[in-house]
């Protein structure tokens, strides 16, 4: 079997106030997988994500266990390379867009890695094409819609050529068309994806596999359709489907292989 892109082993973490947020989390993600990370508010999803690129857990007396990215341990000595390999798209695109133009924002990360000239231009162009935003390259990010800014935020991360794309609530605050457009983009990418979401139809649509985190522990790791149709698991961990949404029907209609709902030409 291939080396996992992401290998979380026995990860435990308490915040400085003593609150234990993670209790021995194990999670392996293999190249090319798209995995949804589900769980109720306060389950520890963000805390886990913040360990994947060393924002939390480095030199921390309250942390135990390990995270490896394609075999490379997440530790201070490897931080620059870990952050190139793990691209995190935060919930608020404005946390990631701060330059005068879309192009400058997308160029920022690779330029910091020393990419320049025509190679940098190609990276930026390719990343913007991947998210369908090439024609907006010279616009100021703050002139774009929220959905467009989220796609540019994804491009800033893709321009780093990450091994795993980690998305925190990618569908939040998107209108149905923008939500579908982003789904189309994510489905078209040739990259491993870990997606934190409360949007269970989106998880079903995009991620064949889902992991449920609850009270700092992995309580389920299975095909997304199995998880969404396990009524007792869903109720025990405060996971609720939108009213009227039937995952079996959605799966039969091709969730995971094509978008649900949205009209397509
Ligand atoms: N800086 C902090 N200091 C102390 N406790 C924290 C801190 N940040 C988060 N927590 C606690 O850690 C636990 C896990 O929080 P986390 O934000 O990781 O959950 P989550 O699954 O991402 O939740 P949500 O779905 O609401 O975003 C919660 O009980 C939260 O209150």
């Amino acid at each position: 079997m291939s080396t996992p892109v992401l290998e979380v082993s026995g990860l435990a973490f308490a915040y400085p106030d003593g609150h234990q947020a993670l209790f021995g989390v194990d999670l392996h993600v293999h190249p090319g997988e798209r995995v949804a990370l589900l769980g109720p508010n306060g389950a520890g999803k963000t805390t886990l994500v913040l360990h994947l690129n060393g924002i939390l857990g480095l030199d921390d007396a309250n942390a135990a266990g390990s995270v490896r990215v394609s075999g490379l341990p997440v530790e201070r000595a490897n931080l620059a390379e870990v952050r190139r390999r793990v691209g995190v798209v935060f919930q608020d695109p404005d946390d990631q867009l701060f330059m005068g133009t879309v192009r400058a924002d997308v160029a920022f990360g690779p330029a910091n890695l020393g990419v320049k000239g025509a190679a940098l231009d190609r990276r930026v162009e390719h990343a913007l094409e991947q998210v369908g935003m090439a024609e907006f390259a010279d616009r100021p990010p703050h002139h774009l819609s929220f959905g467009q800014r989220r796609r540019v935020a994804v491009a800033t991360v893709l321009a780093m050529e990450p091994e795993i794309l980690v998305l925190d609530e990618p569908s939040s605050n998107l209108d149905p068309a923008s939500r579908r457009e982003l789904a189309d983009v994510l489905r078209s990418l040739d990259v491993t994806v870990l997606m934190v979401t409360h949007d269970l139809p989106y998880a079903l649509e995009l991620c064949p596999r889902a992991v449920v985190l609850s009270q700092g522990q992995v309580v389920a790791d299975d095909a997304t359709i199995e998880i969404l149709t396990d009524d007792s698991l869903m109720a025990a961990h405060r996971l609720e489907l939108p009213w009227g949404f039937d995952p079996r029907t959605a799966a039969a209609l091709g969730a995971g292989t094509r978008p649900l709902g949205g009209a397509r030409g």
Side-chain angles (χ1 to χ4, degrees):
M1 197 153 208
S2 55
T3 307
V5 179
L6 184 65
E7 211 175 343
V8 178
S9 303
L11 188 67
F13 177 77
Y15 280 100
D17 68 358
H19 180 84
Q20 186 82 29
L22 299 176
F23 294 85
V25 169
D26 292 310
L27 171 63
H28 287 192
V29 178
H30 288 273
E33 279 197 293
R34 282 202 301 267
V35 180
L37 183 59
L38 312 177
N41 287 140
K45 302 179 297 297
T46 301
T47 306
L48 174 57
V49 165
L50 295 177
H51 279 78
L52 305 185
N53 66 359
I55 293 176
L56 285 181
L58 294 176
D59 316 324
D60 204 316
N62 302 321
S66 66
V67 180
R68 286 171 183 269
V69 183
S70 299
L72 186 73
V74 176
E75 51 192 40
R76 194 164 293 284
N78 301 329
L79 212 49
E81 178 58 14
V82 161
R83 290 186 178 165
R84 191 201 63 74
R85 293 186 187 192
V86 180
V88 182
V89 180
F90 293 103
Q91 203 168 335
D92 185 351
D94 297 333
D95 287 346
Q96 280 170 298
L97 306 177
F98 44 84
M99 302 293 278
T101 63
V102 163
R103 184 191 304 283
D105 262 321
V106 177
F108 185 83
N112 269 345
L113 292 178
V115 182
K116 47 186 163 224
L120 182 60
D121 293 345
R122 271 198 305 277
R123 280 240 202 161
V124 170
E125 215 166 287
H126 182 55
L128 285 172
E129 273 165 11
Q130 283 179 292
V131 301
M133 290 296 292
E135 67 194 276
F136 297 89
D138 296 313
R139 299 269 196 99
H142 63 274
H143 286 183
L144 304 179
S145 73
F146 187 87
Q148 291 169 331
R149 293 206 299 284
R150 180 159 289 153
R151 280 194 276 152
V152 173
V154 173
T156 64
V157 169
L158 291 177
M160 302 288 279
E161 300 184 345
E163 291 178 17
I164 183 163
L165 181 63
V166 180
L167 300 139
D168 191 4
E169 290 289 344
S171 63
S172 66
N173 299 316
L174 297 184
D175 65 29
S178 303
R179 181 178 177 280
R180 178 187 53 75
E181 284 161 7
L182 184 64
D184 289 346
V185 166
L186 295 176
R187 199 181 293 100
S188 72
L189 297 176
D190 183 19
V191 64
T192 309
V193 169
L194 179 67
M195 181 172 112
V196 175
T197 188
H198 292 292
D199 182 342
L200 302 181
Y202 215 56
L204 181 64
E205 183 178 338
L206 285 167
C207 301
R209 174 182 164 205
V211 171
V212 180
L213 199 65
S214 188
Q215 298 186 345
Q217 291 178 299
V218 173
V219 294
D221 183 346
D222 206 338
T224 308
I225 184 65
E226 297 299 329
I227 286 176
L228 299 195
T229 52
D230 184 337
D231 295 342
S232 56
L233 175 82
M234 294 279 285
H237 301 290
R238 298 176 54 81
L239 296 173
E240 289 187 11
L241 293 162
W243 189 83
F245 179 82
D246 174 12
R248 286 189 187 83
T249 306
L253 287 171
T257 55
R258 63 189 170 87
L260 304 174
R264 305 194 79 200

